[in-house]
Amino acid sequence: MTIRIGIVEDHPAMMLGTVAIVNAQSGMRVVAAAGSAREVLAQSQNLHVVLLDLALGDGSTPAANTRRLTEAGARVLAYTSGDRPQLVREAAQAGAVGMIRKTEPVKAIVDGIRAAFRGEVVAGADWAAALEGDRLLVDARLTAREAEVLALYASGATADQVAEMLFLSRETVTEHISNIRKKYLAVDRQAPTKVDLFRRAVEDGLVEAR
C-alpha cells in the first residue's frame, strides 16, 4: 500500500523540499500540500499521515489543526524546528503521534512517516523533553500495580505477555488497562489507543521515549 501523505507548511521552499524528499521514496506519495490544514483537507480527505508545521502564519493553533486532521482520519506528526516546545505540547495533547525536526536527516524523516503509518509513536528526545516540561499535566494517580502494567503494555508488550511477566491473569491485566484509561479520562488526559497510553506513560516518566 502506498502511504498517502499531506504536508501543512507555509514556507514554499521548505514545502518543495519536503515534497521532493517524500516522493523520492518507495511506497509513499504526497497527495496534498498547502499552507493550512483546511487547504490540505480540501485537496484530499484520504490521508494516512500529515506533517504539520506548528507555527503557521494563518493564525491557527497546533491544537485546532491537529484535531481537524485527526478527525479526518490522519495521523499527525509535528514537523518543527523544535525551538518552541509549548507548540509541541499543544499538538501532543490534541492527538499528534510524534514529532520530526525539519533538520533531521532524510532517513529519519522517512522512518518517522513509516512509523506513524504503522500506528507507532514517533518519540525522540525533543518530544519527550517537550512533554516532560508541561506542568499542566494532571496526575492520574495510578496505583503501583497500574503503573507497572502501563509501563510494560505501553512499551509494546501484549496483555498476555504482561500477564505472564507479572504473574497475573490476562483478565486482571485487561481490567487494569481499563481502569488506567478511566483514570486518565477523569483528568482530561484521554488514552483510547495504545499510542495514547504510550504518550501518557512518557509524560508520567514510566517509560522512556524511543
Side-chain angles (χ1 to χ4, degrees), residues 16-131:
L16 289 173
T18 306
V19 169
I21 288 170
V22 172
N23 285 343
Q25 311 306 312
S26 173
M28 58 178 63
R29 188 76 181 170
V30 175
V31 296
S36 72
R38 194 180 302 278
E39 289 175 279
V40 162
L41 291 175
Q43 293 177 21
S44 177
Q45 287 282 326
N46 184 20
L47 298 169
H48 296 131
V49 179
V50 174
L51 298 178
L52 172 65
D53 182 8
L54 300 184
L56 299 171
D58 63 357
S60 61
T61 66
N65 289 329
T66 299
R67 291 191 193 98
R68 181 175 288 120
L69 293 163
T70 55
E71 287 170 2
R75 296 186 175 103
V76 176
L77 283 171
Y79 193 49
T80 174
S81 60
D83 57 349
R84 298 174 66 182
Q86 71 274 16
L87 298 183
V88 177
R89 291 195 291 271
E90 188 177 333
Q93 291 170 342
V97 300
M99 167 186 165
I100 297 178
R101 274 184 176 267
K102 295 180 180 181
T103 54
E104 291 277 11
V106 170
K107 184 178 185 303
I109 295 173
V110 172
D111 288 348
I113 291 171
R114 294 192 191 282
F117 176 69
R118 292 192 299 267
E120 299 172 9
V121 176
V122 183
D126 290 326
W127 173 262
L131 298 189

